Amino acid sequence: MTFAALTAPVQFSREQVAIALSHSELGAGHIGIAFHSAKQGPHVLHLAWHMCTRLEQVPDQLLVEWMAEPLAVPPTASKHIVAVVRSVASRGAKINYGLNFIAAKGSFQPNGSYKPPRGSDGLTCASFVVEVLRAASINLLDLATWRPGIQNEQWANAVCAHLERSASADHVVAVKSSINGLRLRPVEVAGGAQLGVKGWPASFDCVQEPAARVAMALDTICSKQPKDGFRAATAASAT
Amino acid sequence: MRLSQWHDAQIVARVASPGGEEAQYEQEAALDQIGHVRGPESDQRYSLDFLMGTFSSPAEWAMESSLQALRQIASHGRWNRRVVNCRLGADVDELSVTVAAALDHIAEYGPESFGLPRLMNSEVQPEHLAAVLRATSTWRDEIPGWHAALERAAHALAKEGIDPQDALFGMI
């Protein structure tokens, strides 16, 4: 399957979850998990910003354009994953926005509790999706293989600049101290998902090619409306 | 939970689940003595822990302790009776109710209280057990009997013609 615009009617069934992406002001996309709620149709669950987990109904509550692709897992397991994601979505966890995805492993629990281990400064939209799926026993990525890059430090500094407007000073200090050139890009999570069950957990090298294709699809399918959506998210978290 | 009646030595409590189902539990409590609670389905006897200094009278903390124990039993029952109901459908909506009940229990009482070993002597609805195991896999090493229940689920799924490699994908 390939990515398609996330509009009604959606292209995934009630028994599937989908990886959903939109553009982001910070580059490399923004990611969430799409699923059908029990009675109110399709939704997208995503960590929009610091302490701001959003559950948006498709299409009426979407702040930006999204695309989505069903997560290719065995069909019986897929139903159970939907059940777990529904439960996660209903609990409205308050999650710090932070960069150290290695230390964040296992920080999110499906009963809605968020317990960052020592050294974890929080999650990004990408590591949030990875951790929600990990909580449902879906191990998408081998994060130990991730490699740093200079462009990631620029991204991290941009994140910190935005956090200074909406997070506590202590949290900003913690996030700044986590900057190490590592970044889990949303398109990498989506690319890793596309590799399918035989490719999981996917290494850094294995996801780069599908990640590039996902980025191209995002440019083709979704118009760039990251600023309005991002400002809406940061405004929401600042209130 | 609400207390519906109080007789001299009997507490009758009705427990309502979010789905609207009600269960009724009766507990005999001697108001001036330390009491015990019996599980309504298992007849398992539970001792009560008392927090000294919290209440103004033994009757008050015996009452509260009984209620807490009954709440925990009710919480356990909300997911457990769905896992052992072999006639329960396995569509995504039914599975979601079971998973939510299981996670509610862990959120309130912790993984150590999850009580999976009691399933070992019961018939199970294999998909509901598999879904519960997936939802609780984060605590697999803290929930007593989780790994044995996983083996149990694999056998029960195969018996029903469901591929365990499918339903338990990522866990086996």
Side-chain angles (χ1 to χ4, degrees):
Chain A
M1 299 204 61
T2 57
F3 277 95
L6 185 58
T7 57
V10 298
Q11 303 209 355
F12 55 94
S13 74
R14 287 173 57 83
E15 298 184 347
Q16 294 177 307
V17 298
I19 301 296
L21 277 101
S22 64
H23 281 290
S24 166
E25 185 178 298
L26 294 172
H30 176 66
I31 193 168
I33 300 176
F35 65 99
H36 289 264
S37 68
K39 294 179 181 175
Q40 294 180 332
H43 286 70
V44 176
L45 172 70
H46 61 109
L47 181 61
W49 189 230
H50 181 63
M51 305 292 271
C52 184
T53 308
R54 282 191 187 270
L55 182 63
E56 295 172 11
Q57 193 170 21
V58 178
D60 296 337
Q61 294 178 345
L62 297 182
L63 298 178
V64 296
E65 290 185 2
W66 291 77
M67 65 180 192
E69 181 180 81
L71 184 66
V73 291
T76 308
S78 185
K79 286 191 293 181
H80 307 170
I81 294 166
V82 172
V84 174
V85 170
R86 282 181 178 178
S87 195
V88 166
S90 71
R91 294 165 199 273
K94 296 288 186 186
I95 300 171
N96 291 333
Y97 197 91
L99 308 181
N100 190 342
F101 58 86
I102 303 292
K105 182 178 175 182
S107 60
F108 182 80
Q109 299 183 332
N111 62 352
S113 67
Y114 166 61
K115 295 181 182 177
R118 181 186 293 274
S120 171
D121 58 346
L123 298 171
T124 63
C125 62
S127 53
F128 172 69
V129 168
V130 167
E131 289 304 308
V132 170
L133 292 175
R134 188 197 307 280
S137 282
I138 302 299
N139 194 14
L140 277 186
L141 304 174
D142 182 1
L143 296 178
T145 62
W146 249 246
R147 293 202 293 271
I150 293 176
Q151 71 279 14
N152 295 336
E153 293 190 17
Q154 296 168 349
W155 164 80
N157 288 324
V159 167
C160 290
H162 282 294
L163 277 175
E164 283 171 351
R165 291 184 239 152
S166 52
S168 70
D170 285 347
H171 181 66
V172 175
V173 167
V175 174
K176 282 183 176 176
S177 68
S178 296
I179 297 176
N180 56 9
L182 283 173
R183 180 189 179 189
L184 179 59
R185 297 182 300 143
V187 293
E188 288 170 339
V189 177
Q194 282 196 324
L195 291 173
V197 300
K198 291 186 178 175
W200 299 341
S203 69
F204 177 83
D205 287 335
C206 287
V207 306
Q208 295 311 306
E209 195 174 313
R213 288 197 297 269
V214 169
M216 288 175 56
L218 185 59
D219 282 340
T220 302
I221 296 171
C222 296
S223 68
K224 286 191 176 180
Q225 296 180 10
K227 288 187 177 180
D228 287 346
F230 188 80
R231 275 202 290 276
T234 52
S237 67
T239 56
Chain B
M1 170 184 278
R2 64 180 186 276
L3 180 67
S4 62
Q5 300 177 50
W6 179 313
H7 299 290
D8 283 345
Q10 187 180 57
I11 300 166
V12 178
R14 290 204 176 89
V15 179
S17 72
E21 299 170 352
E22 278 203 349
Q24 180 169 306
Y25 302 97
E26 295 185 2
Q27 171 59 36
E28 289 188 6
L31 298 181
D32 60 350
Q33 293 178 2
I34 296 173
H36 291 86
V37 177
R38 285 195 180 274
E41 294 172 20
S42 66
D43 203 36
Q44 175 71 42
R45 194 182 191 199
Y46 296 88
S47 62
L48 299 178
D49 293 328
F50 297 96
L51 298 173
M52 300 304 295
T54 306
F55 303 99
S56 60
S57 73
E60 190 181 341
W61 46 249
M63 171 68 176
E64 180 60 28
S65 298
S66 294
L67 288 174
Q68 285 181 8
L70 287 171
R71 274 194 286 266
Q72 184 165 342
I73 293 167
S75 174
H76 180 271
R78 274 194 284 276
W79 68 266
N80 185 75
R81 65 171 163 264
R82 296 179 66 83
V83 171
V84 300
N85 182 355
C86 297
R87 290 175 294 179
L88 191 60
D91 60 84
V92 67
D93 294 336
E94 293 286 8
L95 292 167
S96 297
V97 173
T98 303
V99 163
L103 292 176
D104 283 344
H105 182 92
I106 290 185
E108 184 69 26
Y109 301 106
E112 301 82 5
S113 71
F114 205 57
L116 279 173
R118 285 180 230 143
L119 288 176
M120 300 311 286
N121 296 322
S122 306
E123 289 293 315
V124 295
Q125 211 292 358
E127 280 211 59
H128 283 259
L129 177 57
V132 165
L133 291 170
R134 184 173 297 280
T136 60
S137 60
T138 298
W139 303 281
R140 64 182 69 196
D141 295 325
E142 298 169 69
I143 293 175
W146 192 95
H147 294 277
L150 186 67
E151 285 187 34
R152 178 82 200 283
H155 288 124
L157 287 161
K159 190 176 169 186
E160 292 294 315
I162 301 169
D163 183 3
Q165 297 291 331
D166 172 348
L168 302 178
F169 172 77
M171 295 191 286
I172 58 175

mmCIF file of all heavy atoms in Angstrom, chain A residues 133-149:
data_model
loop_
_atom_site.group_PDB
_atom_site.id
_atom_site.type_symbol
_atom_site.label_atom_id
_atom_site.label_comp_id
_atom_site.label_asym_id
_atom_site.label_seq_id
_atom_site.Cartn_x
_atom_site.Cartn_y
_atom_site.Cartn_z
ATOM 1 N N LEU A 133 3.463 2.328 19.668
ATOM 2 C CA LEU A 133 3.484 1.024 19.006
ATOM 3 C C LEU A 133 4.300 0.019 19.806
ATOM 4 O O LEU A 133 3.939 -1.160 19.896
ATOM 5 C CB LEU A 133 4.041 1.167 17.580
ATOM 6 C CG LEU A 133 3.137 1.940 16.618
ATOM 7 C CD1 LEU A 133 3.815 2.124 15.277
ATOM 8 C CD2 LEU A 133 1.802 1.222 16.436
ATOM 9 N N ARG A 134 5.371 0.466 20.438
ATOM 10 C CA ARG A 134 6.154 -0.444 21.281
ATOM 11 C C ARG A 134 5.293 -0.959 22.424
ATOM 12 O O ARG A 134 5.371 -2.114 22.791
ATOM 13 C CB ARG A 134 7.381 0.268 21.854
ATOM 14 C CG ARG A 134 8.334 -0.680 22.579
ATOM 15 C CD ARG A 134 9.321 0.085 23.482
ATOM 16 N NE ARG A 134 10.036 1.125 22.784
ATOM 17 C CZ ARG A 134 11.077 0.887 22.015
ATOM 18 N NH1 ARG A 134 11.523 -0.348 21.862
ATOM 19 N NH2 ARG A 134 11.706 1.886 21.406
ATOM 20 N N ALA A 135 4.444 -0.075 22.976
ATOM 21 C CA ALA A 135 3.547 -0.479 24.070
ATOM 22 C C ALA A 135 2.551 -1.535 23.606
ATOM 23 O O ALA A 135 1.995 -2.262 24.426
ATOM 24 C CB ALA A 135 2.819 0.739 24.627
ATOM 25 N N ALA A 136 2.313 -1.596 22.286
ATOM 26 C CA ALA A 136 1.442 -2.636 21.718
ATOM 27 C C ALA A 136 2.269 -3.776 21.146
ATOM 28 O O ALA A 136 1.788 -4.548 20.306
ATOM 29 C CB ALA A 136 0.540 -2.042 20.636
ATOM 30 N N SER A 137 3.519 -3.888 21.582
ATOM 31 C CA SER A 137 4.441 -4.957 21.155
ATOM 32 C C SER A 137 4.785 -4.902 19.679
ATOM 33 O O SER A 137 5.075 -5.934 19.061
ATOM 34 C CB SER A 137 3.877 -6.349 21.505
ATOM 35 O OG SER A 137 4.057 -6.628 22.868
ATOM 36 N N ILE A 138 4.758 -3.722 19.087
ATOM 37 C CA ILE A 138 5.214 -3.545 17.708
ATOM 38 C C ILE A 138 6.514 -2.746 17.770
ATOM 39 O O ILE A 138 6.503 -1.549 18.087
ATOM 40 C CB ILE A 138 4.170 -2.805 16.853
ATOM 41 C CG1 ILE A 138 2.850 -3.580 16.864
ATOM 42 C CG2 ILE A 138 4.695 -2.612 15.432
ATOM 43 C CD1 ILE A 138 2.945 -4.981 16.295
ATOM 44 N N ASN A 139 7.611 -3.430 17.467
ATOM 45 C CA ASN A 139 8.929 -2.825 17.597
ATOM 46 C C ASN A 139 9.429 -2.442 16.209
ATOM 47 O O ASN A 139 10.033 -3.241 15.507
ATOM 48 C CB ASN A 139 9.867 -3.824 18.273
ATOM 49 C CG ASN A 139 11.144 -3.180 18.747
ATOM 50 O OD1 ASN A 139 11.236 -1.953 18.810
ATOM 51 N ND2 ASN A 139 12.119 -3.988 19.081
ATOM 52 N N LEU A 140 9.156 -1.198 15.815
ATOM 53 C CA LEU A 140 9.402 -0.780 14.430
ATOM 54 C C LEU A 140 10.884 -0.595 14.111
ATOM 55 O O LEU A 140 11.333 -0.975 13.038
ATOM 56 C CB LEU A 140 8.709 0.564 14.151
ATOM 57 C CG LEU A 140 7.243 0.616 13.775
ATOM 58 C CD1 LEU A 140 6.875 2.058 13.413
ATOM 59 C CD2 LEU A 140 6.924 -0.321 12.633
ATOM 60 N N LEU A 141 11.596 0.057 15.038
ATOM 61 C CA LEU A 141 12.926 0.549 14.703
ATOM 62 C C LEU A 141 13.974 0.070 15.694
ATOM 63 O O LEU A 141 13.705 -0.060 16.893
ATOM 64 C CB LEU A 141 12.930 2.087 14.694
ATOM 65 C CG LEU A 141 11.916 2.767 13.760
ATOM 66 C CD1 LEU A 141 11.939 4.280 13.974
ATOM 67 C CD2 LEU A 141 12.205 2.430 12.315
ATOM 68 N N ASP A 142 15.189 -0.139 15.177
ATOM 69 C CA ASP A 142 16.338 -0.443 16.025
ATOM 70 C C ASP A 142 17.050 0.884 16.293
ATOM 71 O O ASP A 142 17.969 1.285 15.570
ATOM 72 C CB ASP A 142 17.257 -1.432 15.312
ATOM 73 C CG ASP A 142 18.451 -1.826 16.164
ATOM 74 O OD1 ASP A 142 18.552 -1.341 17.318
ATOM 75 O OD2 ASP A 142 19.288 -2.610 15.683
ATOM 76 N N LEU A 143 16.598 1.575 17.330
ATOM 77 C CA LEU A 143 17.069 2.940 17.568
ATOM 78 C C LEU A 143 18.539 3.002 17.951
ATOM 79 O O LEU A 143 19.167 4.055 17.835
ATOM 80 C CB LEU A 143 16.200 3.593 18.659
ATOM 81 C CG LEU A 143 14.720 3.764 18.268
ATOM 82 C CD1 LEU A 143 13.929 4.374 19.423
ATOM 83 C CD2 LEU A 143 14.574 4.617 17.016
ATOM 84 N N ALA A 144 19.103 1.878 18.370
ATOM 85 C CA ALA A 144 20.522 1.864 18.735
ATOM 86 C C ALA A 144 21.416 2.095 17.522
ATOM 87 O O ALA A 144 22.597 2.428 17.666
ATOM 88 C CB ALA A 144 20.866 0.535 19.401
ATOM 89 N N THR A 145 20.860 1.939 16.303
ATOM 90 C CA THR A 145 21.667 2.106 15.093
ATOM 91 C C THR A 145 21.625 3.534 14.547
ATOM 92 O O THR A 145 22.276 3.824 13.545
ATOM 93 C CB THR A 145 21.167 1.159 13.981
ATOM 94 O OG1 THR A 145 19.804 1.510 13.651
ATOM 95 C CG2 THR A 145 21.226 -0.285 14.430
ATOM 96 N N TRP A 146 20.885 4.410 15.216
ATOM 97 C CA TRP A 146 20.726 5.777 14.679
ATOM 98 C C TRP A 146 22.021 6.557 14.773
ATOM 99 O O TRP A 146 22.776 6.397 15.738
ATOM 100 C CB TRP A 146 19.597 6.498 15.420
ATOM 101 C CG TRP A 146 18.424 6.710 14.510
ATOM 102 C CD1 TRP A 146 17.936 7.889 14.058
ATOM 103 C CD2 TRP A 146 17.606 5.680 13.907
ATOM 104 N NE1 TRP A 146 16.864 7.669 13.209
ATOM 105 C CE2 TRP A 146 16.649 6.325 13.101
ATOM 106 C CE3 TRP A 146 17.602 4.277 13.964
ATOM 107 C CZ2 TRP A 146 15.690 5.650 12.361
ATOM 108 C CZ3 TRP A 146 16.659 3.586 13.233
ATOM 109 C CH2 TRP A 146 15.713 4.259 12.438
ATOM 110 N N ARG A 147 22.288 7.383 13.746
ATOM 111 C CA ARG A 147 23.539 8.120 13.684
ATOM 112 C C ARG A 147 23.277 9.618 13.746
ATOM 113 O O ARG A 147 22.273 10.113 13.227
ATOM 114 C CB ARG A 147 24.293 7.765 12.405
ATOM 115 C CG ARG A 147 24.777 6.322 12.381
ATOM 116 C CD ARG A 147 25.928 6.168 11.428
ATOM 117 N NE ARG A 147 25.515 6.378 10.046
ATOM 118 C CZ ARG A 147 25.067 5.421 9.259
ATOM 119 N NH1 ARG A 147 24.938 4.194 9.709
ATOM 120 N NH2 ARG A 147 24.736 5.682 8.011
ATOM 121 N N PRO A 148 24.194 10.366 14.363
ATOM 122 C CA PRO A 148 24.001 11.821 14.488
ATOM 123 C C PRO A 148 24.296 12.535 13.183
ATOM 124 O O PRO A 148 24.917 11.998 12.263
ATOM 125 C CB PRO A 148 25.014 12.199 15.575
ATOM 126 C CG PRO A 148 26.081 11.154 15.478
ATOM 127 C CD PRO A 148 25.407 9.899 15.041
ATOM 128 N N GLY A 149 23.819 13.783 13.113
ATOM 129 C CA GLY A 149 24.091 14.630 11.960
ATOM 130 C C GLY A 149 24.084 16.086 12.385
ATOM 131 O O GLY A 149 23.366 16.461 13.320
#
